[in-house]
Amino acid sequence: MDAVKGSGQRTVKLPDKRAERSRRTRERIVAAARELFVAQGYGATSLQEVADHAGVAVQTVYFVFRNKRTLFKDVVDTSIAGDAEPVATMDRPWFRAACAEPTAAAQLHAHVRGVGGILGRVGPIMPLIAAAAATDPQIAAEWAADPDPRYTVQYAAAEALVAKPDVRPGIDAARAADLLYGLLSPELYLIFVRDRGWPPGTWEEWARAALTADLCIVPE
């Protein structure tokens, strides 16, 4: 990366144009793959089709991702995160801000909104993940990770939640995590939003109200 020194000898880093081009190319490939995987299915989509849709040479796809399985993982990971940054969910600003809320009710409000954003991105590819896992043992093995990463995230949120002053008596982290894991599951989200046609905002209001009633002391 180029640098320019001023009179004070402070080094100023200039943008790395090559790295930026590489990042944009990767994003185009992932976006193209997501669109084709959802429309056609994982097994029916070739890397040549992905390359054509992304406007790159198929050799570029192989160079960046090596194979379709790795590309599929990137599609899933970026759908969960919302970007390509290698930052775990529990280190994301929205998650940390939610856990830092002073009350359980406020944490649930922020947490449900954050999880809802993830589910809105992940929901459309859930059938794709199931189909890919059914045809590719390595994808199936990776998706069946133990412990479930989604439960790990919800348990961390639950630990913060039960320390708040308005949490319902008798609720421990395990109970709270189970409720968060179940009510904020992609399967339940799809039942309401995809199958029953609820707007995402309506699902968010319902999930927040249900969790607040079960986990918080609600003023009468």
Side-chain angles (χ1 to χ4, degrees):
M1 183 176 291
D2 296 330
V4 176
K5 291 185 178 180
S7 59
Q9 295 300 306
R10 186 178 63 180
T11 300
V12 179
K13 293 184 178 180
L14 299 178
D16 188 330
K17 294 182 179 180
R18 184 168 56 183
E20 179 63 17
R21 284 196 301 269
S22 296
R23 182 186 66 79
R24 290 181 180 177
T25 297
R26 188 183 189 96
E27 289 177 351
R28 286 206 313 275
I29 295 170
V30 170
R34 176 187 166 96
E35 186 175 331
L36 290 174
F37 286 161
V38 170
Q40 302 178 172
Y42 172 76
T45 300
S46 70
L47 290 184
Q48 181 65 63
E49 289 176 300
V50 172
D52 293 342
H53 201 54
V56 301
V58 70
Q59 290 85 353
T60 301
V61 179
Y62 280 106
F63 177 77
V64 175
F65 294 99
R66 301 193 308 280
N67 55 53
K68 189 163 70 169
R69 188 179 299 116
T70 305
L71 174 56
F72 178 77
K73 184 179 186 303
D74 254 50
V75 168
V76 175
D77 288 347
T78 55
S79 295
I80 293 171
D83 57 48
E85 296 299 318
V87 180
T89 299
M90 290 184 291
D91 293 326
R92 294 266 164 179
W94 74 264
F95 185 87
R96 290 190 169 190
C99 290
E101 290 286 355
T103 66
Q107 181 183 341
L108 285 173
H109 188 283
H111 186 73
V112 171
R113 175 160 295 178
V115 172
I118 293 175
L119 294 177
R121 296 187 298 270
V122 172
I125 67 170
M126 287 302 296
L128 169 66
I129 293 169
T135 59
D136 189 321
Q138 290 191 38
I139 291 177
E142 183 171 332
W143 196 250
D146 187 27
D148 185 333
R150 192 170 65 80
Y151 182 81
T152 300
V153 170
Q154 300 298 6
Y155 193 88
E159 286 187 307
L161 188 83
V162 297
K164 305 294 167 62
D166 58 330
V167 73
R168 189 177 290 277
I171 295 291
D172 61 12
R175 173 71 173 180
D178 286 348
L179 289 169
L180 293 172
Y181 182 77
L183 268 68
L184 302 182
S185 68
E187 294 82 3
L188 197 55
Y189 178 89
L190 287 175
I191 288 174
F192 287 121
V193 175
R194 181 194 64 191
D195 299 344
R196 303 311 309 157
W198 284 22
T202 301
W203 169 87
E204 183 182 323
E205 291 174 6
W206 166 80
R208 183 172 63 245
L211 287 167
T212 301
D214 278 344
L215 295 172
C216 300
I217 300 171
V218 181
E220 298 183 2

